[in-house]
Amino acid sequence: MARQLPALTLEQLTVELGSRARAVETLRWLFSQRPMPTVLPEAIEGVSHRVWKPFRARHGLVVPKVTERQQSPDGTTKYALDFAGTNVETVRIPAKGRSTICISSQAGCTRKCVFCATKELGFIRQLKAEEMVAQYMLARSEAPVEQPASNVVFMGMGEPMDNLDEVLHAIDVLTQSPAPQLRQVAVTVSTSGVLPGLERFLAESKASLALSLNATTDEVRAQVMPQNKTWPIQSLLNALRKDVERRNGKRDYFIEYVLFKDLNDTDADADRLITLLEGIPSRVNLIPYNPYPGTNLETPSTSRVRAFHARLVEQGMLTLIRWPRGREIAAACGQLVLSRDGEGFQPSAP
Ligand code: SAH
C-alpha cells in the first residue's frame, strides 16, 4: 500500500517530487511546524507549484485528533489520540535538555501480561508507521524548545515485535536526514520477549533494545507473562548474546524489570539476575509495579526497591530505579488504557 506523510522516506519523496532537494525541503517543513500541521499546505518553499500540486492531490497527511491532553506536575503529558476512530495513547516525558516520546505500536496489545493495564483492551489493530510517526510529530511540536524531542521509546501500548514491519519503517523515518534525524541509539524498542520478532529486529535494526524480563525464573515469568511458555528466559537472552557478538557491543541493551512484592524482589532474584545477564553488557531499569485494580500483585516497599537496586549495583550492574512519572494521570508504565464514557478500566488515583 502506498505510504502517506509523515511516513514517506527521503527516497520515496525524492521519486515522487522528482528531486532530492524538494524532498529535503518537504521533510524540513514537516518536522519544523508548530503546531503540528493538519493538512498539507497549498505551497511550501523550495518546491515548485507544478510538482507540489499533483503530489498534494495524491497524498494526505495522517494526523491524530487529540481527544485528551493531561499534564502531571512533573511535566509528563499524556495524549489520548484518535486515528480515524482508533484510540491510542502517547506520552511526552520531559527531562533536562530533552524530551522522550513514548509511542504506541498497536491499539490494545497482542500480548497478555497479567500486570499490564493495556491488556484490558484486548487487541484492536496494528498501527501503521504513519500513525507512529504522527504520534511523535504531535508530541515533538508541543515539546518545550529547551527540551526537544530527541528520544523515542516504543513503550506505549502494544507489542512492537508483533508489528515489526511498521515499527522498522517508522524508525527509518524517525532517524532519517534532514529531519527529524533522531540518533539510532536514541530510539529504543521495548519487547515483552517475542523471540521471532526480537531476532529479526536485532538482525535488521541499529536502534536500542529493551527487554522486559520481569522475573528471574521461567516459573515466575510464566505466571506474569504467559508467553514465556513459548519463549523462555534463556531463549531471549541467548538472542541478545548472539547480537552482542555480531555487533561487537555496538548497541544499547536495557533490561526492564518490574518489581512485584514477594514475587521477584528478593536478594536471591537480584543475584540470579546478575548471573542471567552475564555476557550481555546491559543496563537494568527497575520499575516498581504500578498497581491497578484487578490483580493481586503488589508494589514492594520503597526500602525493598532500594535494597534490590543496591544489591545489583554492588555487583557492578548499571541499574536505575524508574520511579513512576505521570502516575497522577495514569501515564506511567503499564497504565496506558483508555477510559471513555465510563466504559472500560478507570485508572485508580495514586
Ligand atoms: N510490549 C512492550 C512495550 C510496552 S510495556 C514490552 O512489554 O516491553 C512497557 C514497559 O512497561 C514494559 O517493560 C512492561 O514490563 C512495563 N509495565 C507494564 N505494566 C506495568 C505496570 N503495571 N507497572 C510497571 N511497569 C509495567
Side-chain angles (χ1 to χ4, degrees):
M1 203 200 72
R3 289 279 173 202
Q4 298 291 314
L5 284 174
L8 282 164
T9 61
L10 181 66
E11 281 64 35
Q12 290 164 334
L13 278 169
T14 301
V15 172
E16 296 250 355
L17 294 167
S19 91
R20 196 175 173 88
R22 293 180 197 131
V24 164
E25 287 309 321
T26 303
L27 286 175
R28 284 212 174 109
W29 177 85
L30 196 62
F31 288 98
S32 61
Q33 301 302 302
R34 280 169 180 258
M36 178 185 179
T38 53
V39 287
L40 291 180
E42 295 209 351
I44 64 171
E45 218 175 300
V47 183
S48 71
H49 197 58
R50 175 181 59 80
V51 176
W52 185 253
K53 201 174 162 198
F55 175 82
R56 185 170 176 259
R58 277 196 309 278
H59 286 281
L61 174 63
V62 172
V63 179
K65 201 161 78 197
V66 182
T67 51
E68 211 180 331
R69 198 186 257 102
Q70 283 175 281
Q71 191 156 18
S72 78
D74 66 15
T76 301
T77 304
K78 181 171 80 164
Y79 301 93
L81 304 178
D82 178 335
F83 285 102
T86 301
N87 297 283
V88 300
E89 297 188 341
T90 303
V91 186
R92 174 164 55 83
I93 307 151
K96 199 163 175 263
R98 67 181 156 97
S99 293
T100 298
I101 314 303
C102 179
I103 287 182
S104 296
S105 57
Q106 300 181 319
C109 190
T110 33
R111 300 291 149 190
K112 301 259 171 298
C113 303
V114 170
F115 49 84
C116 180
T118 301
K119 78 162 183 312
E120 306 287 324
L121 293 172
F123 174 60
I124 299 162
R125 74 162 168 86
Q126 304 287 16
L127 295 183
K128 296 198 292 253
E130 281 80 350
E131 295 165 322
M132 299 178 211
V133 179
Q135 292 174 57
Y136 169 77
M137 264 181 85
L138 172 79
R140 172 189 171 101
S141 72
E142 297 192 3
V145 178
E146 66 284 6
Q147 291 166 312
S150 56
N151 292 58
V152 161
V153 291
F154 286 85
M155 281 189 194
M157 291 176 166
E159 170 48 53
M161 300 308 177
D162 287 337
N163 188 16
L164 192 53
D165 286 341
E166 296 300 307
V167 167
L168 291 176
H169 187 84
I171 296 173
D172 284 346
V173 172
L174 291 170
T175 53
Q176 77 185 344
S177 295
Q181 223 180 348
L182 300 184
R183 293 176 315 133
Q184 295 273 357
V185 3
V187 176
T188 303
V189 176
S190 182
T191 181
S192 57
V194 177
L195 184 60
L198 173 63
E199 288 177 328
R200 188 179 150 212
F201 169 83
L202 294 172
E204 295 182 20
S205 179
K206 295 188 183 121
S208 301
L209 189 271
L211 172 65
S212 300
L213 192 61
N214 297 343
T216 61
T217 65
D218 282 322
E219 194 197 341
V220 171
R221 191 164 192 271
Q223 269 178 46
V224 287
M225 304 178 83
Q227 69 198 53
N228 190 73
K229 294 187 191 98
T230 315
W231 303 297
I233 292 174
Q234 281 303 354
S235 71
L236 303 171
L237 296 179
N238 283 339
L240 296 196
R241 277 192 202 98
K242 220 186 273 173
D243 188 63
V244 171
E245 220 169 275
R246 179 175 42 199
R247 292 191 52 81
N248 228 337
K250 278 201 235 88
R251 190 197 303 276
D252 282 0
Y253 305 91
F254 299 92
I255 301 296
E256 310 289 300
Y257 194 92
V258 180
L259 282 163
F260 303 105
K261 184 176 180 216
D262 299 334
L263 188 67
N264 67 356
D265 65 345
T266 63
D267 285 351
D269 283 296
D271 296 348
R272 267 196 300 271
L273 186 55
I274 295 283
T275 309
L276 284 173
L277 296 180
E278 264 166 31
I280 306 171
S282 47
R283 282 177 266 174
V284 173
N285 288 321
L286 299 175
I287 314 172
Y289 171 56
N290 287 312
Y292 76 95
T295 74
N296 49 17
L297 297 164
E298 288 176 56
T299 312
S301 67
T302 301
S303 59
R304 177 83 299 257
V305 172
R306 289 196 196 287
F308 194 92
H309 173 255
R311 198 155 177 111
L312 293 179
V313 172
E314 272 160 26
Q315 296 178 74
M317 183 60 74
L318 289 168
T319 311
L320 281 178
I321 306 174
R322 299 283 182 195
W323 295 111
R325 302 196 55 185
R327 207 187 227 181
E328 306 77 355
I329 54 170
C333 293
Q335 293 191 309
L336 295 183
V337 69
L338 297 161
S339 45
R340 297 183 307 278
D341 308 317
E343 284 170 34
F345 166 71
Q346 197 79 34
S348 63

